[in-house]
Structure formats: structure tokens, C-alpha cells
Amino acid sequence: MAKAFASQGDMSEKKITFEEVGKDIYAFTAEGDPNSGVIIGDDSVMIVEAQATPRLANKVIECVRSVTDKPISHVVLTHYHAVRVLGASAFGADQIIMGDTARAMVVERGQEDWDSEFQRFPRLFEGHESIPGLTWPTTTFSDDMTVYLGNRRIDLMHLGRAHTAGDIVIHVPDENVMFTGDIVEYHSACYCGDGHFSDWGDTLDNIAAFDVDAIAPGRGDALVGKEMVNAAIENTRDFVESTYRPAAKVAARNGTLKEAWDAVRAECDPKFADYAIYEHCLPFNVARAYDEARGIDTPRIWTAQRDLDMWEALQG
């Protein structure tokens, strides 16, 4: 019997923090669980990331209602992963926005991703019975899009592949705050199972070029101040490179997936073993790094069965 994924045993509730990171802009964080964002405009509210279920989305809504009674008009989803999008129905927003590529990934692999994440994250999917189905956007865009909440301008942009092929970021220019989704993390492992290692660094450079004053990352604490922002960007870069480099060396000599696993652990454990979801992410990260190094550009579709097969292979 293969060892269970680390996330399957994580059943303890996380402490929620709701922090203002710019005027009327908030980060909803929960000790390494998926973050959400709140942007309050003149007449309405935009939510960034919808959580895994309506049950968890309602926790975000409770925080919103602690600071404003304005209606929630928009939900923006940085990518397609189930733990980010399946709570969208709870917000009752007229507009659900994704990038074109993210929507295409819902079509291609959305159900498989839901099934896979459901068995890996039992705590996040408590109350899953209330999920009405896959989340579909009402609006998509290719490279960039601007939304106005009254006078407040919000820019949505695809700055390159990283955590997935369809990642977008959300920038609020009047406060110079950015929501990066899982392109940037803070003291949390990057999930790279659907990632593009060779592009990730360039995408981080594109984020850094905005020289923002605060970032709400995909997981981990809000990043307030340029020093913290820049440190998190560079730490994320180190995590991605430290995962890919040893796996690529093994692949170059036609080594096995198990050998790549051992090489990545030797590189990453000393630096990142205490990061949130590190043990959970590592097998998926190694498998994807090994594939990309062997020339597989499009990440394979993860299914519940493929998860288990991969995990058994990594155990040798």
C-alpha cells in the first residue's frame, strides 16, 4: 500500500487573517491554504479567487461584510485549479472572469483536476455537496483586460506561463497592489504539477518589473512593502529552480523518476522542508520537472489514478 499524500492527513482548521494591503484592498489568508483577495470599488466589490467550496467562500464573504455592504459584482480567477474556483457560486457575482487559456484548461482537464484534488485535500472539500459543478467564466480575455469599479481601475494580465499555462495577475494601480495567484508564494511550497519551469522565472521578472508596494500571493502571508515583495519573488524563484535543476540533470542522463525524486529532495529539503504543503507538492513537482526536462511541454492531465501510480513509482 503506497504511503498517503501528506495533504490527506491535514485535517486541522487554519487560522484566518484578513489584512488590508492597500486602501480598500484586502488579503484573505489561512496559514498556507489558498488565499483570496478583496478589492472594494465605488459601488461594488471584486473577489480574487473563489476557494474550493461554497462553505469556504462564505468565510471570505463574512470578512467582506465586516468592512463593506457593497454588492459583490465580479469574481476573478487566476487559473483553473479546483481549490481556487469551485466556490464561485457562493458569491452571486454577475461576472466571473478567467483568461482564455484558463477556460480552455477547464474544458480540457477541469473535471479530472477536481477529482484529483478532491481525494488529495479532504479538509478543503468538506461541504462539497454544495458545489453546483465546474466553474465557467462569463468573460475571458487573451492578454489583458481592464475592469472599472466606478473610478477604481483594475488591470488583469497574462504575464507568462508559470504555475499553469493560463495564469493571470491582477494589478490595482492606484495603490500599486498585485494579486499573483500561485505564481508567487510566501513560506509555502509552489505546486508545480501543472507548471512550466522554463518560463516561470521570466514571468517572475515581469511581475518584479511592476515594482509593486504589496502582493497578495497564492498561499502564505500578505507581502507588504517592497522588501518583503522582492524577497518573496526571489524565494519563489529559488524554489522553482531548485526543483527543476536536479531533476533535469537526472533526466539528461536517462535516470529514473525515483532518482530524480532523490536528487530534488537532496536539494530542496534543507531549504524548504518546513514550508506549507511542501510534502504534498513534492511528488507532483518532481514528476512534472522530470517530464519537462524530457521535452514534454504540456503537463500531463492529473487523475486520481495517475496520482497513485506516480506516487508508487516515486516510492521505488
Side-chain angles (χ1 to χ4, degrees):
M1 180 67 181
K3 178 181 174 184
F5 290 108
S7 54
Q8 290 174 317
D10 178 9
M11 298 301 293
S12 60
E13 285 294 318
K14 306 301 182 184
K15 178 185 175 182
I16 291 170
T17 300
F18 191 60
E19 179 180 355
E20 191 169 24
V21 295
K23 181 174 173 52
D24 291 332
I25 305 172
Y26 294 85
F28 174 101
T29 67
E31 298 185 292
D33 275 0
N35 294 340
S36 287
V38 176
I39 305 169
I40 302 173
D42 293 336
D43 302 311
S44 67
V45 177
M46 175 182 286
I47 303 294
V48 178
E49 312 287 43
Q51 298 287 316
T53 64
R55 179 185 75 88
L56 290 173
N58 281 322
K59 295 187 176 186
V60 179
I61 293 169
E62 289 175 11
C63 290
V64 173
R65 293 296 163 238
S66 73
V67 294
T68 182
D69 60 1
K70 295 174 182 177
I72 296 169
S73 57
H74 296 74
V75 172
V76 176
L77 304 169
T78 64
H79 59 286
Y80 80 99
H81 282 154
V83 293
R84 297 285 176 187
V85 307
L86 293 180
S89 62
F91 296 100
D94 290 336
Q95 292 289 317
I96 299 175
I97 304 173
M98 285 181 178
D100 289 338
T101 302
R103 188 191 186 283
M105 296 180 85
V106 177
V107 174
E108 177 192 44
R109 58 184 70 200
Q111 186 63 54
E112 290 84 354
D113 178 71
W114 181 357
D115 295 342
S116 172
E117 293 196 13
F118 179 80
Q119 62 104 17
R120 287 189 268 133
F121 290 107
R123 175 174 53 80
L124 293 181
F125 284 98
E126 290 176 354
H128 63 89
E129 299 85 359
S130 62
I131 301 170
L134 291 171
T135 296
W136 297 99
T138 61
T139 303
T140 65
F141 65 95
S142 178
D143 297 319
D144 56 75
M145 173 183 179
T146 296
V147 175
Y148 287 92
L149 300 183
N151 289 318
R152 169 156 268 180
R153 173 176 173 157
I154 304 167
D155 294 326
L156 285 53
M157 298 167 284
H158 174 66
L159 297 180
R161 302 191 302 183
H163 173 69
T164 73
D167 299 325
I168 64 170
V169 303
I170 297 89
H171 183 233
V172 188
D174 64 79
E175 288 292 306
N176 201 23
V177 171
M178 184 175 282
F179 297 85
T180 63
D182 288 314
I183 303 172
V184 177
E185 311 286 23
Y186 181 71
H187 214 77
S188 178
C190 299
Y191 174 76
C192 310
D194 297 300
H196 295 269
F197 288 93
S198 297
D199 295 2
W200 206 314
D202 290 340
T203 304
L204 289 172
D205 289 342
N206 291 336
I207 290 171
F210 280 81
D211 194 27
V212 295
D213 294 313
I215 281 178
R219 294 177 186 260
D221 294 347
L223 311 169
V224 180
K226 294 183 189 296
E227 182 177 352
M228 194 174 184
V229 164
N230 292 333
I233 289 172
E234 293 312 309
N235 188 255
T236 299
R237 188 192 310 275
D238 185 32
F239 185 96
V240 171
E241 292 178 353
S242 296
T243 302
Y244 185 67
R245 187 170 53 246
K249 288 180 180 178
V250 171
R253 59 175 175 78
N254 294 319
T256 66
L257 181 61
K258 177 62 166 62
E259 290 172 328
W261 166 260
D262 292 338
V264 173
R265 290 214 75 129
E267 178 80 14
C268 289
D269 283 6
K271 294 190 283 189
F272 309 117
D274 64 337
Y275 277 27
I277 69 166
Y278 174 73
E279 290 292 343
H280 162 71
C281 290
L282 197 62
F284 299 92
N285 294 358
V286 173
R288 173 57 192 150
Y290 184 72
D291 276 355
E292 182 173 322
R294 293 184 302 143
I296 299 173
D297 181 69
T298 300
R300 304 185 195 199
I301 297 175
W302 291 103
T303 65
Q305 185 58 53
R306 187 188 168 215
D307 293 351
L308 296 174
D309 292 345
M310 173 270 296
W311 192 219
E312 289 178 357
L314 288 171
Q315 300 310 298

